Amino acid sequence: MKDIVILAVETSCDETSIAVVKNKREVLSLVTNTQIETFEKVGGVIPELSSRMHVDNIFYVYKQALNEADVTIFDIDAIAITSGPGLVGSLLVGVNFVKTLSLIYDIKVIEVNHLIGHINAININNIITYPHLSLIVSGGHTELIYMNKEFEYIKVGKTLDDAAGECFDKVARILNLGYPGGPKIDKYAQFGNDKYDLPYPKNDKTLDFSFSGLKSACYNLSNQLKMKGIEIDKADFACSFQIRVIETLINKVKIAQQQYQVNSVSVVGGVSSNSFLRKRMEKEFSNIIIPNSIYSTDNAAMIGVAAFEQYERNNFIDVQRLNAIPNAEIKEENEE
Ligand code: KG4
Ligand code: ZN
């Protein structure tokens, strides 16, 4: 059978990422230019600036991705692009870059949902046994997705307010740890103990999450301690907070695993690169898949992998209709 080679482009937030993926599982190259250094200084992403940086970088990232894969644009069978969810200006840079390539070189385009991309990171280096349950934990989303078979997605749980990653970032800000907060909390927590009395967020039998109560409890506790002139032990605070989030995630995955009788479980998205979460998940679930860190945070390889199913079904988008969809949701099987 002929090899299928897909060029994938991901610019939904603060990473300009382009990959070349062959036959679904083989990542020939992955080049990611992160804007973290710039946004570290201001404590968060500035959307307008992020779009401009994508514009500055995308062509170089593209060239390098082709070079590292040892291919030319004429070897590419289709281009995969993240159309949403994400920051509209950032998404538009990738979308318009892909439109241009498609029109110049007459290459078909596949539109990929960013969250479906995160789930498909599990296919890199793994063969999945179905039914499968995937927990997506990223900066903007916390969702439990049930898959009876490959590429069939049913949302069975979601956050009612903040996403897990967003909560990590906000608590890191309370502790003045800098941006992005998740990796900083991860690092500090390694030197701390669970000494602060914080609540377990929505630790009930449903499959939905809620992190806003825990976030408020962190604000309140830090304010109370400050008013009393008591210095916060950042490592202990990070550790107590992180345990609350991760044990809640584990509890929900356990309930869903039993309810849906799945054969395998995965955790994907930026927060899944958390070292404590990885350790705990591996201990609790024998059939767990957690992508390598470079494939759990935003990257184009996962977008390329996710595009293969649509390639096989000849599901290409008319480039005139291609646009950014900042609030895109996962399309479930029973939807049109
Ligand atoms: O998937 P991702 O790269 O981008 C989105 O789609 O949002 O996830 C980014 C989120 C951020 O909130 C970041 O703080 C969090 O993932 N994150 C972590 C870690 N690394 C990244 N959270 C906890 N521990 C980490 N090591
Ligand atoms: Zn993401």
Side-chain angles (χ1 to χ4, degrees):
M1 232 171 74
K2 179 190 173 299
D3 285 337
I4 304 300
V5 181
I6 289 186
L7 178 82
V9 177
E10 154 66 47
T11 62
S12 67
C13 191
D14 56 351
E15 256 98 32
T16 316
S17 184
I18 300 192
V20 178
V21 182
K22 187 168 111 183
N23 300 338
K24 189 163 132 186
R25 283 176 223 289
E26 210 181 319
V27 181
L28 298 183
S29 69
L30 169 61
V31 179
T32 303
N33 182 288
T34 178
Q35 304 169 357
I36 281 180
E37 258 180 47
T38 303
F39 296 127
E40 243 174 3
K41 296 179 194 127
V42 287
V45 179
I46 301 171
E48 174 70 27
L49 184 54
S50 171
S51 318
R52 284 193 222 154
M53 291 173 77
H54 283 304
V55 173
D56 287 346
N57 292 322
I58 197 160
F59 190 70
Y60 302 104
V61 174
Y62 159 74
K63 280 289 189 199
Q64 198 181 333
L66 289 180
N67 280 344
E68 286 185 15
D70 201 16
V71 297
T72 73
I73 191 69
F74 301 104
D75 299 313
I76 301 297
D77 295 291
I79 308 175
I81 172 71
T82 304
S83 56
L87 300 172
V88 65
S90 296
L91 287 166
L92 275 171
V93 179
V95 160
N96 285 308
F97 182 71
V98 166
K99 274 190 183 193
T100 311
L101 282 181
S102 167
L103 291 169
I104 293 176
Y105 296 106
D106 193 21
I107 306 175
K108 293 172 186 163
V109 174
I110 298 167
E111 190 183 16
V112 176
N113 175 293
H114 181 76
L115 300 176
I116 289 183
H118 271 305
I119 297 174
N120 276 275
I122 61 177
N123 287 316
I124 304 170
N125 307 325
N126 294 299
I127 307 276
I128 310 299
T129 52
Y130 292 86
H132 178 81
L133 178 80
S134 190
L135 170 68
I136 308 174
V137 268
S138 68
H141 294 82
T142 304
E143 294 185 1
L144 274 167
I145 305 293
Y146 170 75
M147 296 167 73
N148 191 33
K149 54 181 198 236
E150 197 172 23
F151 303 123
E152 188 183 290
Y153 311 96
I154 299 170
K155 197 193 295 178
V156 295
K158 62 181 181 317
T159 180
L160 303 177
D161 40 58
D162 295 355
E166 195 180 342
C167 198
F168 267 92
D169 294 336
K170 298 235 167 93
V171 172
R173 196 174 291 176
I174 295 173
L175 297 176
N176 269 325
L177 301 183
Y179 175 87
K184 307 266 178 185
I185 297 250
D186 190 350
K187 219 179 247 168
Y188 271 77
Q190 288 170 23
F191 303 100
N193 295 300
D194 180 11
K195 287 209 184 127
Y196 288 100
D197 187 18
L198 293 166
Y200 280 85
K202 199 162 166 36
N203 214 18
D204 57 18
K205 296 275 172 236
T206 71
L207 296 182
D208 287 334
F209 305 86
S210 166
F211 294 104
S212 65
L214 175 61
K215 183 184 68 185
S216 302
C218 289
Y219 270 118
N220 293 341
L221 180 58
S222 96
N223 285 339
Q224 281 163 15
L225 293 172
K226 268 184 213 152
M227 275 184 332
K228 288 182 189 160
I230 301 170
E231 200 182 327
I232 296 174
D233 184 315
K234 293 185 181 185
D236 288 345
F237 203 110
C239 174
S240 300
F241 160 75
Q242 184 174 269
I243 285 178
R244 301 302 183 276
V245 175
I246 285 163
E247 295 306 324
T248 304
L249 295 175
I250 287 174
N251 180 37
K252 298 283 178 180
V253 173
K254 272 188 186 166
I255 298 169
Q257 186 193 30
Q258 274 184 354
Q259 202 168 319
Y260 289 93
Q261 296 288 311
V262 291
N263 279 327
S264 58
V265 175
S266 62
V267 193
V268 301
V271 181
S272 73
S273 52
N274 181 278
S275 56
F276 182 63
L277 178 139
R278 295 176 90 92
K279 227 183 284 162
R280 287 288 296 118
M281 287 279 176
E282 273 157 13
K283 186 157 180 252
E284 290 292 333
F285 304 98
S286 56
N287 49 6
I288 187 91
I289 294 146
I290 311 178
N292 182 306
S293 254
I294 55 163
Y295 302 127
S296 21
T297 47
D298 287 351
N299 71 91
M302 66 186 194
I303 303 300
V305 173
F308 272 84
E309 175 239 4
Q310 297 188 61
Y311 185 91
E312 280 158 18
R313 287 198 305 184
N314 271 319
N315 196 7
F316 303 104
I317 183 162
D318 170 1
V319 284
Q320 308 296 342
R321 284 186 41 237
L322 180 64
N323 207 346
I325 313 169
N327 299 319
E329 298 216 14
I330 290 183
K331 199 166 156 203
E332 301 194 38
E333 267 306 292
N334 50 358
E335 288 176 34
E336 242 314 278

